[in-house]
Amino acid sequence: MDTITIRDASLSDAARILGIYSYYIKNTAITFEYDVPLLPDFQTRMRHIMERYPYLVIEKDGIIQGYAYAGTFYNRAAYDWTCEVTIYLDVNAQKGGPGRKLYEALEARLKDMGILNLYACIALPQEEDEYLTRNSADFHAHLGYKPIGTFRECGYKFGQWYDMIWMEKIIGERLAAQPPVKFPG
């Protein structure tokens, strides 16, 4: 029987996480990044995120199958209760529910911190092609995210223009006297 574990990522996981992400950079328009970052640069990105937000990995039998994290939506104090969420799964681990499990764990951690609003920035084709499908938007919709905005033809990759949509999920109650978010440290 497979052992599934969700845990906090560490910088020692960066090479495996970057390996997962690099597939999407090189072969898809899911990310609009063109070049695979160098490992030290990627570790710096991870470190910066982990200073404030959860950065989780899901493992199957001790091997990382995917990762998810939250990040600053916009760097102003009034946005503290809002964050952007990101998930990537190993291309061979996309069936069987690891994405749902990972996102549910991330959402629980964010809710415990006092985060209320989750936003996902998703590349979207006008017509599906070999580089981009609607799977990510469908996945987020299945988890309760609602589309809230579209930026038409704002990303150019592989000689084609792609849309980007924002999707939103509210995970907490907005109050007149909102308690502060419990950031680490």
Side-chain angles (χ1 to χ4, degrees):
M1 188 160 131
D2 297 328
T3 303
I4 304 296
T5 306
I6 296 174
R7 63 169 175 81
D8 289 322
S10 69
L11 293 180
S12 63
D13 298 320
R16 171 67 178 141
I17 292 170
L18 181 56
I20 292 169
Y21 183 50
S22 66
Y23 171 85
Y24 293 95
I25 295 170
K26 294 176 194 173
N27 300 293
T28 78
I30 288 172
T31 175
F32 288 166
E33 194 156 4
Y34 279 21
D35 300 314
V36 176
L38 297 174
L39 183 59
D41 296 333
F42 194 75
Q43 287 172 318
T44 298
R45 289 184 194 184
M46 289 178 66
R47 186 179 303 109
H48 179 72
I49 291 164
M50 291 187 283
E51 289 172 356
R52 194 165 167 117
Y53 295 100
Y55 200 124
L56 305 177
V57 296
I58 188 166
E59 294 178 323
K60 180 178 173 185
D61 298 328
I63 299 171
I64 295 173
Q65 302 295 304
Y67 65 99
Y69 61 87
T72 301
F73 172 70
Y74 196 74
N75 193 19
R76 300 287 185 271
Y79 291 111
D80 279 357
W81 296 268
T82 301
C83 66
E84 183 179 350
V85 292
T86 301
I87 186 169
Y88 285 95
L89 297 176
D90 183 283
V91 70
N92 298 311
Q94 295 183 3
K95 301 296 179 194
R100 172 184 277 283
K101 290 174 187 161
L102 192 52
Y103 246 17
E104 286 173 351
L106 182 64
E107 287 178 12
R109 292 276 295 278
L110 293 168
K111 189 170 186 168
D112 287 346
M113 290 173 61
I115 299 289
L116 307 175
N117 313 308
L118 305 181
Y119 293 100
C121 177
I122 301 166
L124 192 71
Q126 292 180 11
E127 292 183 29
E128 291 190 8
D129 62 32
E130 68 213 79
Y131 303 111
L132 189 61
T133 67
R134 289 176 162 54
N135 287 354
S136 186
D138 292 345
F139 167 77
H140 283 82
H142 187 68
L143 296 180
Y145 287 75
K146 307 285 185 217
I148 56 169
T150 301
F151 292 78
R152 300 276 177 217
E153 297 182 336
C154 66
Y156 183 77
K157 192 170 180 183
F158 302 121
Q160 300 177 70
W161 286 100
Y162 294 100
D163 294 349
M164 182 268 293
I165 63 168
W166 282 96
M167 295 183 80
E168 171 187 62
K169 184 174 183 179
I170 307 304
I171 60 169
E173 182 181 358
R174 295 177 177 120
L175 305 172
Q178 196 70 43
V181 174
K182 297 174 223 151
F183 292 111

